[in-house]
Amino acid sequence: MKPSCKMAKSKDTTEEKILNAAKEVFMKYGLYGSRMHDIADTAGINKALLHYYFRSKEKLFDTVFSGALHKYLQQMDAFLDSSLPIRQRLNNYVDNVFSFLEEYPQMPVFIIKEVSINPELFRDRVDVLKKDKGISIIQVLEKEIELGTIRKMDTALFLINLHSLCSYPFLAAPIFKHVLKANHKNWEEYSPAKIKQSVKQFIERTLLS
Amino acid sequence: MKPSCKMAKSKDTTEEKILNAAKEVFMKYGLYGSRMHDIADTAGINKALLHYYFRSKEKLFDTVFSGALHKYLQQMDAFLDSSLPIRQRLNNYVDNVFSFLEEYPQMPVFIIKEVSINPELFRDRVDVLKKDKGISIIQVLEKEIELGTIRKMDTALFLINLHSLCSYPFLAAPIFKHVLKANHKNWEEYSPAKIKQSVKQFIERTLLS
DNA sequence: TTCTGGTTTAACTGTTTGGTTAAATCAAAA
DNA sequence: TTTTGATTTAACCAAACAGTTAAACCAGAA
């Protein structure tokens, strides 16, 4: 009956087409701003089939959001490889965040906005957040400060700044693109690679002991 | 007939109540995610009166968005007082951005998202952007570099980083609040004042010649 | 008091939206 | 060939939604 127990052979199953379309539409318009009809169109199918795979809008959204949150938190694993020195770990972490953002530029805003609208999205997933990784990063940094590996600083503030420098440029790309254009510069020069470079420069200047 | 030509005496006119409610709802849910009924409720009136003041949803949204864009661009005026030295100008600029963000934390995301959904919102307002201020900031910075007042750097990248450091913490506050809580720190310590301080530190470290 | 204009109530229209259903296709496996 | 399950088409429903209208209400000004 249900096609969910199908093997992923063609890597382009209808379920995947739907999920990709849903990701795209939900991330752009949010839960309340999205229409099932729009998702079906984006997936290249009809809404009857959409409801055949995901019974309701809420169920589809829940699947998309869970996946997004999981992937978002997964980034932080790169930081947690305790066998590496702190600078290497930070470096890998930023690399990971950027490759994630290049794939889903609007993901952080999507998560933040939906949670602020519907706080139970967060509360209902305490299990995922139990072993919350953002927490450990702060603790690791504070241990490194004790060890004298890095300069003494406000670790939480550092984390906030770091995320800001990474996420916001992707978010604000459409605006910056316009501003740079009006300034006779082209956005392509300010591609992720260049921005990442400046983030790492920020890290170095901050950690510098 | 229309009450629009009324003097602002009580400072709490129905029109203002509507506009404030519309700001709140539109900024939270976006154009497509907002319901007129919700705006009317938030304003404490009924939808008949809502349509009496603003004929349509699009017209109301347009008024809100125009005001938002105008206020957003207005911040940049603080930078343009050419009688002051560059560091002072940057300082005032950041102060201005922060007092704006404290009042409307979600404004940058609101503008960015709505423009990326509906690009003609930007195109239709080229008149406002003709004397675009973001542009001039870059040009001013480059002149200062020529003069040797500040270190040689990528000015556009600097502006992107600066905006990221200012805007994102307000945007992501609900998430950071949770992360800090789980980390036995309280968000209040990371209030705008402290974040602003770290932004200015970033500016100093970057400009340092 | 009357008049005026903001405000409410409530009913109404037409459209959109989420969701369902049944019959008809269609391709591939049995 | 028959069967099975994915997919489409199209009609349908109930609720939500944007927007309109008319009558009633009510406060302050004339």
Side-chain angles (χ1 to χ4, degrees):
Chain A
M1 307 167 172
K2 267 195 194 165
S4 52
C5 47
K6 195 209 281 182
M7 292 289 105
K9 331 177 191 180
S10 62
K11 193 79 173 164
D12 206 42
T13 45
T14 304
E15 197 175 349
E16 278 172 350
K17 279 197 294 181
I18 292 176
L19 280 174
N20 284 332
K23 250 182 240 169
E24 191 182 327
V25 174
F26 278 138
M27 285 195 348
K28 192 168 179 184
Y29 299 102
L31 172 57
Y32 298 138
S34 299
R35 319 287 139 170
M36 292 297 269
H37 176 276
D38 193 6
I39 295 175
D41 278 3
T42 306
I45 56 163
N46 48 40
K47 58 172 184 164
L49 192 59
L50 218 183
H51 282 94
Y52 177 63
Y53 275 81
F54 297 89
R55 235 166 279 167
S56 71
K57 188 185 185 184
E58 268 63 33
K59 204 181 168 312
L60 177 56
F61 177 81
D62 215 66
T63 308
V64 168
F65 184 82
S66 290
L69 190 63
H70 181 259
K71 251 207 148 185
Y72 186 65
L73 294 176
Q74 204 178 0
Q75 308 173 99
M76 305 187 175
D77 283 336
F79 187 84
L80 299 178
D81 179 3
S82 54
S83 67
L84 296 170
I86 184 66
R87 272 179 172 72
Q88 189 69 49
R89 287 163 83 177
L90 269 169
N91 207 59
N92 292 351
Y93 178 59
V94 172
D95 285 344
N96 228 27
V97 170
F98 264 82
S99 64
F100 171 77
L101 286 170
E102 283 183 62
E103 200 178 346
Y104 307 107
Q106 310 163 320
M107 196 69 97
V109 192
F110 171 63
I111 293 174
I112 289 165
K113 290 229 84 178
E114 296 304 317
V115 166
S116 83
I117 288 172
N118 226 342
E120 59 262 32
L121 284 176
F122 227 83
R123 278 188 230 116
D124 293 356
R125 285 174 182 75
V126 192
D127 52 321
V128 186
L129 298 162
K130 268 268 170 61
K131 31 183 176 173
D132 193 330
K133 289 119 180 203
I135 302 167
S136 346
I137 293 185
I138 289 183
Q139 291 172 349
V140 169
L141 285 173
E142 293 192 342
K143 264 179 198 159
E144 294 288 334
I145 290 178
E146 278 181 36
L147 294 172
T149 330
I150 56 179
R151 185 203 288 191
K152 196 180 174 213
M153 59 168 175
D154 190 319
T155 51
L157 211 51
F158 173 71
L159 203 65
I160 292 175
N161 287 337
L162 188 58
H163 269 97
S164 302
L165 287 172
C166 293
S167 301
Y168 197 79
F170 287 89
L171 200 187
I175 298 287
F176 281 133
K177 208 175 279 186
H178 174 271
V179 172
L180 292 186
K181 200 177 196 176
N183 215 346
H184 313 297
K185 307 193 171 211
N186 60 329
W187 169 253
E188 316 312 327
E189 293 178 24
Y190 299 90
S191 52
K194 204 160 186 178
I195 292 169
K196 195 206 280 187
Q197 193 185 331
S198 81
V199 172
K200 291 187 175 178
Q201 193 177 45
F202 165 80
I203 294 179
E204 266 316 304
R205 282 180 184 163
T206 310
L207 295 191
L208 212 70
S209 54
Chain B
M1 309 167 172
K2 268 195 193 164
S4 53
C5 47
K6 194 210 281 183
M7 291 289 105
K9 332 178 191 181
S10 62
K11 193 78 174 162
D12 206 42
T13 44
T14 304
E15 196 175 350
E16 278 172 350
K17 279 197 295 181
I18 291 176
L19 281 174
N20 284 332
K23 250 182 238 168
E24 191 182 326
V25 175
F26 278 138
M27 285 195 347
K28 192 168 180 183
Y29 299 102
L31 173 58
Y32 298 139
S34 299
R35 320 285 141 175
M36 293 296 269
H37 176 275
D38 192 6
I39 294 175
D41 278 3
T42 307
I45 56 163
N46 48 40
K47 58 172 184 163
L49 193 58
L50 219 183
H51 283 94
Y52 177 62
Y53 276 82
F54 297 88
R55 236 166 277 166
S56 71
K57 188 185 185 183
E58 268 63 34
K59 203 181 169 313
L60 177 56
F61 177 81
D62 215 66
T63 308
V64 168
F65 184 83
S66 290
L69 191 63
H70 181 260
K71 251 207 149 186
Y72 186 64
L73 294 175
Q74 203 178 0
Q75 308 173 99
M76 305 187 175
D77 283 336
F79 187 84
L80 299 178
D81 178 2
S82 55
S83 66
L84 295 170
I86 184 68
R87 272 179 172 73
Q88 190 68 49
R89 287 163 83 176
L90 269 168
N91 207 58
N92 292 351
Y93 179 59
V94 172
D95 284 344
N96 227 27
V97 170
F98 265 81
S99 65
F100 171 77
L101 286 169
E102 282 183 63
E103 199 179 347
Y104 307 107
Q106 311 164 318
M107 196 69 97
V109 193
F110 171 63
I111 293 174
I112 289 165
K113 290 229 85 178
E114 295 304 317
V115 165
S116 83
I117 288 172
N118 225 342
E120 59 262 33
L121 285 176
F122 226 83
R123 278 189 231 118
D124 293 355
R125 286 174 181 77
V126 191
D127 53 321
V128 186
L129 299 161
K130 268 268 169 61
K131 31 183 176 173
D132 194 330
K133 289 115 180 205
I135 302 167
S136 349
I137 293 185
I138 289 183
Q139 291 171 351
V140 169
L141 285 173
E142 292 192 343
K143 265 179 196 159
E144 295 288 334
I145 290 178
E146 279 181 35
L147 293 172
T149 331
I150 57 179
R151 186 203 288 191
K152 195 178 175 219
M153 60 168 173
D154 190 319
T155 51
L157 211 52
F158 173 70
L159 202 66
I160 293 174
N161 287 338
L162 187 58
H163 269 97
S164 303
L165 287 172
C166 293
S167 301
Y168 197 79
F170 287 90
L171 200 186
I175 299 287
F176 281 132
K177 207 176 281 188
H178 174 270
V179 172
L180 291 185
K181 200 178 196 176
N183 215 346
H184 313 297
K185 306 193 172 212
N186 60 330
W187 170 253
E188 316 312 326
E189 293 179 24
Y190 298 90
S191 52
K194 205 161 185 177
I195 292 167
K196 194 205 282 185
Q197 193 185 331
S198 80
V199 171
K200 291 187 174 177
Q201 193 177 46
F202 165 80
I203 294 179
E204 266 317 302
R205 281 180 184 164
T206 310
L207 295 191
L208 212 69
S209 55

